[in-house]
Amino acid sequence: MSREDSTAGRGWWEDRIFYRIDVRAFSDSDADGVGDLEGVRDRLGYLELIGIDAIWLTGVLASPVGRPGQGRDVDPLVGTLSSLETLLAEAHAAGMRVTLDLAVDGTEIVHSENQRELAESLRFWSGHGVDGFRVAALPGITGPVDESTHRIVRMIRSVFDERESVMLGGLVDGWRTGLGDLVELDLGVDLRFSLTQFDATEIRRIVDTVLTDSDNNAGTPVWTLSTWENPRPTTRFGGGAHGLARARAMALVQFALPGSVGVDNGTELGLPESEKPDRTSSHPARGPIPWEGTQPPFGFSAAPGNWWPTPPSWAASTVEAQLEDPLSTLSLHRNAMELRRRHEIAHRTTVRWYGAPHGCLAFRCDRAGLTCALNASGTSVPKPPGTVVLCSGSLEGERIPPNTAVWLT
C-alpha cells in the first residue's frame, strides 16, 4: 500500500480508531506484576471485538533513537524483539495496524552521525513491520517548539517517504508555530481537545480551530479525550457518576467528528484515575486494566500488582462485567465505533453547526447523515428532530437531560 491509498486517495491512518496501550499497565503474561508485549498479544481478540483499527504502543523502546548504538532495542521489562515481531504479525492478521512511540533526543540530532543513526533506526523498525510512529520526545511535543523540532520532523519525513505507507504522528498543541507549520505530520494528536472543559462554547471553538489548522496543513486530527499526562475524562469532568455521565457524552462528540479517533486504554471502560501512591507526582495515576473477577488486580496479573493501585470499586467496571451490559460505557463505545463506520464519518469533510439552546451544541458531518447533539447546560432541553440511534444516557421523553449527548438520523 502506498502512503496515499490508491483506491480511496488517502493514507491508511485517516478515519482510523487508534487505541493507545500503556504496555506496562495493560496485561501481564508472565506474573511479574508488569504488563508486557505477550500480554498485549493475548488481548488482541478484545481489541478486535470492540472495533479497534490500530494500536499505539507506549513504553516499548528501551532507549531514544538517534544516539549511537541505541534506539533499536525493546525494553526487556516488556519483552523482546521476537515478542514484538509476533505481536506485529498477529495484529496485522487481525486487520490492525501497529504504531510505536518514538523518543528522539533533540539535543543530539544536530550531529551528522546521530542523524544517520536516527535514519537507520527508523528503517530498522519499519522494516520489522511497524506501521507508524508517534514522535514522543521532541521539543515542541514535550516542550517549547524550536528549530530542532522542525529539523527532526523534516528528517524523519524524508526517511518515511522511502516507505510511503509508514505514518508519522505527534502530539501537537496547534499545528502552527513561529518557525513554520508542522506540515510533515500525517497525524496530530491535538492536546487542545483533550484539555477542553465540559462547555459547549469552548468545545465548538476548539473543534473549529483544530479542523482549520489541520486542513491548512493537510494533516489528520486525532480526537482524544485524554493523554497519559492528563486525567481520564471521568476524573477530569468531576469524578463519580457526574463525571462519568459527562465522559460518556463527550465520547459521542469525539466519535462524531471527522478525522481519526484516539482512545486511551481504560477510557472505554469509564475508568477514573487511581489513588496516587506518590502524592508528589504531577502525573495522573493509572491502575492496570481490570479484565475480570471481583478482586484486584482483576485478571491483570497472576501476581500481586506492583503498578499503580487498583481500587476494589473497579469490580463493576471490568471488561467482563461490561461486555454483556448493553448500557455499559464499554457497550457505548462499541456502538459508537460501529455507527461511525456505518455512517462513514470521514476526514476532509465539513462540520455543519446547527442552532442549539444555550449551553448546548449540535453538528453534523457532511455526507455522514448523522447529527450529534450535546446538552452541557444545567437543565433539560428539547431533542432535535430525527430518530435517536445512540444516547449516552436516558432521555426524559422528548427532552435531553444535562450531561447527555445523542446521535440522530
Side-chain angles (χ1 to χ4, degrees):
M1 178 187 288
S2 67
R3 183 180 169 202
E4 293 298 320
D5 188 311
S6 60
T7 59
R10 58 188 185 225
W12 68 258
W13 48 87
E14 296 188 30
D15 316 327
R16 295 289 180 131
I17 298 170
F18 286 82
Y19 186 86
R20 190 193 74 86
I21 296 176
D22 185 341
V23 175
R24 292 170 294 175
F26 193 66
S27 183
D28 172 25
S29 71
D30 57 7
D32 65 352
V34 179
D36 46 53
L37 293 170
E38 285 295 321
V40 176
R41 186 174 67 85
D42 291 342
R43 303 294 183 177
L44 286 177
Y46 164 72
L47 301 177
E48 186 178 10
L49 175 66
I50 66 174
I52 299 301
D53 297 314
I55 55 178
W56 226 315
L57 301 176
T58 63
V60 173
L61 302 189
S63 57
V65 297
R67 295 175 181 172
Q70 297 185 19
R72 295 174 221 173
D73 44 2
V74 171
D75 188 338
L77 188 65
V78 302
T80 63
L81 179 58
S82 177
S83 59
L84 177 59
E85 289 174 331
T86 301
L87 172 59
L88 285 164
E90 294 194 10
H92 290 158
M96 282 182 278
R97 301 281 186 156
V98 181
T99 59
L100 297 181
D101 260 12
L102 184 70
V104 181
D105 188 341
T107 62
E108 299 288 335
I109 300 301
V110 295
H111 307 296
S112 59
E113 178 185 359
N114 293 350
Q115 293 175 13
R116 288 192 294 272
E117 286 283 341
L118 171 61
E120 288 305 310
S121 293
L122 294 172
R123 295 185 183 105
F124 175 83
W125 291 114
S126 60
H128 278 79
V130 175
D131 298 296
F133 300 87
R134 182 180 72 174
V135 182
L138 280 177
I141 302 300
T142 58
V145 170
D146 60 17
E147 178 54 36
S148 67
T149 305
H150 294 273
R151 180 169 57 250
I152 293 169
V153 172
R154 286 194 297 267
M155 188 180 309
I156 295 173
R157 179 79 276 158
S158 68
V159 174
F160 285 174
D161 283 343
E162 302 169 7
R163 292 175 167 87
E164 294 184 332
S165 64
V166 180
M167 179 273 297
L168 175 60
L171 297 172
V172 298
D173 187 10
W175 297 70
R176 297 179 176 179
T177 79
L179 298 169
D181 292 358
L182 294 170
V183 296
E184 292 84 3
L185 296 180
D186 298 308
L187 285 181
V189 183
D190 205 295
L191 298 177
R192 291 170 291 187
F193 190 72
S194 68
L195 293 172
T196 184
Q197 299 301 307
F198 194 73
D199 177 86
T201 300
E202 181 181 0
I203 294 167
R204 176 170 176 172
R205 178 185 63 80
I206 289 176
V207 168
D208 280 339
T209 301
V210 170
L211 289 175
T212 298
D213 285 356
S214 60
D215 283 346
N216 288 340
N217 288 282
T220 299
V222 181
W223 307 99
T224 183
L225 292 174
S226 67
T227 67
W228 77 277
E229 290 188 312
N230 301 317
R232 285 179 172 137
T234 294
T235 297
R236 182 158 61 90
F237 294 135
H242 183 79
L244 178 59
R246 289 183 166 187
R248 288 168 58 97
M250 281 298 293
L252 293 196
V253 175
Q254 172 193 22
F255 279 96
L257 290 168
S260 297
V261 172
V263 178
D264 208 37
N265 55 195
T267 300
E268 80 280 15
L269 302 175
L271 297 179
E273 301 300 345
S274 307
E275 289 294 324
K276 294 180 180 177
D278 178 5
R279 299 288 180 177
T280 64
S281 173
S282 61
H283 296 305
R286 294 287 164 84
I289 299 298
W291 294 101
E292 59 195 15
T294 59
Q295 298 294 326
F298 301 113
F300 163 72
S301 173
N306 62 1
W307 195 246
W308 298 100
T310 308
S313 61
W314 284 9
S317 300
T318 65
V319 171
E320 179 183 53
Q322 294 199 45
L323 272 177
E324 301 303 321
D325 179 1
L327 300 180
S328 71
T329 302
L330 178 56
S331 292
L332 179 72
H333 278 74
R334 290 180 66 186
N335 290 334
M337 293 180 203
E338 180 182 351
L339 287 169
R340 177 182 171 86
R341 293 187 182 90
R342 185 185 307 172
H343 289 273
E344 298 182 342
I345 298 173
H347 183 48
R348 308 189 196 287
T349 189
T350 302
V351 169
R352 303 282 182 183
W353 297 99
Y354 298 108
H358 180 72
C360 302
L361 58 79
F363 66 91
R364 174 186 296 215
C365 292
D366 274 359
R367 303 187 303 276
L370 185 148
T371 299
C372 177
L374 169 71
N375 182 5
S377 75
T379 60
S380 63
V381 298
K383 176 182 72 65
T387 301
V388 174
V389 294
L390 190 60
C391 186
S392 68
S394 299
L395 298 181
E396 298 174 352
E398 292 297 304
R399 300 181 69 84
I400 304 174
N403 305 324
T404 304
V406 297
W407 283 1
L408 310 101
T409 58

